[in-house]
Amino acid sequence: MDKRVLTIQDISCVGQCSLTVALPIISACGIETAILPSSVLSNHTAKGYSGWTFCDLTDEMPKILERWQKENIDFSAFYTGYVSKSQIPHILDIMEKTARPNALKVVDPAMADNGKLYAGFDDDFPNEMKKLCAKADVLIPNLTEASLLLGVPYVASGYDKTYIEDLCRGLYGLGAKNVIITGVSFEADKLGCVTFNGKDFEYYFTQKLDVSMHGTGDIYASVVVGALCRGKSLLEAASLAADFVVESIKNTLGDDDHWYGAKFEKAIPYLVSRLEK
C-alpha cells in the first residue's frame, strides 16, 4: 500500500506558506498528500499585506474525523504546522483513530520566531503544544520555539553547542523521539540545523543568505516529511531540507515584486533529483 500523509495546518490562499507549500512539496516527493485545513486565510499575515480574512475550521475537525472513520480512511504519516490551542485535542484524536500501524508523526510547533510568540497566541500556548510534541516521532522547532517549549531563556546569538544540545535533550525529554532544531548558527556565514535521536547529535550547515523570507520554515518541514517518507535518514532529510530552502531563496533573490514568499516551485526539479540519489 502506498504511503499517505495527512498534513494539518492553515491554508493561506496566497502567500506560499502552510498548506500551499506542504501539498506541492510532499506530492513532488512522490507521496500521496491529504490535507486538513485548520483555518482559511485570504493571504498570509506577514508584513506587506494590509489585512486578511480568516475562517476558523475547528468545528469541522470532529465531523471530518467521523466521516473518515466511516470511510475507513487512514494515514501512514501526519505532519502538523500552524494550529490553534483548541485544535490540539482534535488533532491528537485524529492521529489516534486514523493512524496506520507505526504511522510517522512530524510536528512543527509553528508558534514563534525571533524570540516572540506569533500574534494571537497567549502565553499558555506552548504548554498546550507540549501535548502534541510529546507524540512526535520528529519534532522540528526553531530556536525560539524550542526555548518557549522548555521555558528557558531565548538566546539569539553567541550560544555554543552546550546550549543547543541542552535544548535538544530537553525537547527529547518532552517525549519526542527525534528532534531537529533549525536556525542554528555558530559562524556568521553559516546557518543550519542539529538533529538528535536521544543519543547522537549531528549538525548540518549551509551558506547563510542575508535575507529573511516568509514560509521558509514550512518549506523546510515539508521537505523533511517527504524525504522521511521516501526512506531517507533523519540527517539526510534535515540536510536536504536545508539545501532546498537555500535553492528556493536563491531563485527569489533580485525579484523585488516577490516579497511575500520564496519561489520553491522553481527548485522542485532540484528536490526530485536529490531524492533519487
Side-chain angles (χ1 to χ4, degrees):
M1 181 183 295
D2 287 345
K3 292 180 179 178
R4 178 195 290 145
V5 173
L6 172 64
T7 178
I8 308 172
Q9 51 188 308
D10 71 289
I11 183 164
S12 293
C13 299
V14 175
Q16 293 177 303
C17 65
S18 56
L19 283 181
T20 59
V21 165
L23 178 57
I25 287 179
I26 300 172
S27 297
C29 293
I31 306 298
E32 180 185 346
T33 311
I35 64 170
L36 178 54
S38 58
S39 57
V40 179
L41 294 85
S42 57
N43 45 273
H44 69 59
T45 61
K47 290 182 179 180
Y49 291 119
S50 61
W52 52 87
T53 66
F54 176 85
C55 178
D56 181 85
L57 296 177
T58 304
D59 292 343
E60 293 299 311
M61 288 184 168
K63 300 174 189 177
I64 290 171
L65 172 59
E66 182 180 8
R67 174 47 51 188
W68 282 347
Q69 289 183 285
K70 288 180 179 179
E71 301 292 345
N72 295 315
I73 293 171
D74 56 12
F75 305 98
S76 51
F78 301 89
Y79 158 38
T80 67
Y82 186 100
V83 298
S84 68
K85 185 192 298 187
S86 62
Q87 292 169 343
I88 290 174
H90 293 305
I91 293 169
L92 292 170
D93 198 31
I94 289 166
M95 285 181 170
E96 179 183 351
K97 293 178 178 176
T98 65
R100 295 177 185 173
N102 302 311
L104 174 71
K105 301 178 181 69
V106 178
V107 175
D108 174 4
M111 61 181 179
D113 203 1
N114 298 316
K116 297 179 181 179
L117 283 167
Y118 294 145
F121 289 148
D122 60 33
D123 291 341
D124 188 54
F125 186 80
N127 286 326
E128 194 68 22
M129 178 55 72
K130 286 180 186 179
K131 299 175 184 178
L132 193 53
C133 296
K135 301 296 183 180
D137 293 300
V138 181
L139 178 60
I140 315 177
N142 59 35
L143 286 173
T144 299
E145 291 158 348
S147 64
L148 287 170
L149 286 168
L150 298 174
V152 301
Y154 165 68
V155 181
S157 62
Y159 48 75
D160 57 13
K161 282 190 174 182
T162 298
Y163 174 75
I164 296 298
E165 293 176 5
D166 283 347
L167 289 177
C168 289
R169 293 187 185 96
L171 294 168
Y172 184 82
L174 295 179
K177 296 181 178 66
N178 298 275
V179 175
I180 304 173
I181 298 180
T182 62
V184 176
S185 179
F186 301 116
E187 302 175 60
D189 61 342
K190 300 291 183 183
L191 184 67
C193 59
V194 58
T195 68
F196 181 58
N197 60 6
K199 180 181 177 182
D200 300 314
F201 298 96
E202 295 185 280
Y203 290 86
Y204 183 77
F205 296 96
T206 63
Q207 173 189 3
K208 186 176 183 178
L209 301 173
D210 190 22
V211 64
S212 178
M213 292 186 181
H214 188 77
T216 52
D218 300 331
I219 293 171
Y220 184 94
S222 298
V223 175
V224 168
V225 172
L228 289 174
C229 288
R230 285 288 298 268
K232 300 297 184 182
S233 70
L234 186 66
L235 182 62
E236 287 172 336
S239 303
L240 174 55
D243 290 342
F244 184 75
V245 169
V246 171
E247 288 296 313
S248 300
I249 292 173
K250 286 181 176 178
N251 281 322
T252 317
L253 292 174
D255 186 350
D256 293 338
D257 291 330
H258 203 95
W259 50 266
Y260 49 84
K263 296 182 181 181
F264 70 90
E265 299 92 345
K266 295 185 181 299
I268 283 178
Y270 170 85
L271 172 63
V272 173
S273 66
R274 283 281 302 271
L275 283 169
E276 297 302 329
K277 292 182 179 179

